[in-house]
Amino acid sequence: MSTRGVIYVHSSPSAVSPHVEWAIASVLDARVVLDWTAQEAAPGSVRAEVAWAGPAGTAARLATALRAWGMVRFEVTEDPSPGTDGERFSHVPGLGLWHGRTSANGDIVLGEDQVRTALAGASTRESITRRLDDLLGTRWDAALEEFRFAGEGVAPARLHQVG
């Protein structure tokens, strides 16, 4: 089943950018050259975004490959496809990798088992709020917001998986 998504590299040290391209290329089995621009939210860093197309599950493979570069802030999205939910992966240094399923409009979707587990393990209103916020990726969204804003108005390039 084929789908598509977007890779947002919100910030990467300039010296690491060739390694980021290599990691993406290894997953997509295609040559990758990103259009890097300065990331104003982190002086000395660069940012890029690229649309991709490939089989369902590609976003997970991309996030796994990019996670190897722990100092890189990124998000990888995958659109829903027949029989498969959409996904979003977010990585922030210090927070690690977050994953959520997404609906057709991009909202984070929580499964009933996730909600039941959060409720069962919470003894106070604050603890349930914290658990639900983590399931929704709230800390990752907050940490990435200034980096997202710094990339507004930049159209993503397009990549297609060869293999």
Side-chain angles (χ1 to χ4, degrees), residues 8 11 17 22 31 35 44 50 52 57 71-72 85 98 122 129 140 152 155:
Y8 302 93
S11 73
S17 60
W22 173 84
R31 184 170 182 266
D35 184 18
V50 63
W52 60 268
M71 72 290 293
V72 175
D85 292 329
W98 172 86
T129 299
W140 287 260
E152 280 186 3

Side-chain angles (χ1 to χ4, degrees), residues 22-37:
W22 173 84
I24 295 168
S26 70
V27 170
L28 297 179
D29 195 26
R31 184 170 182 266
V32 173
V33 178
L34 300 179
D35 184 18
W36 295 99
T37 59

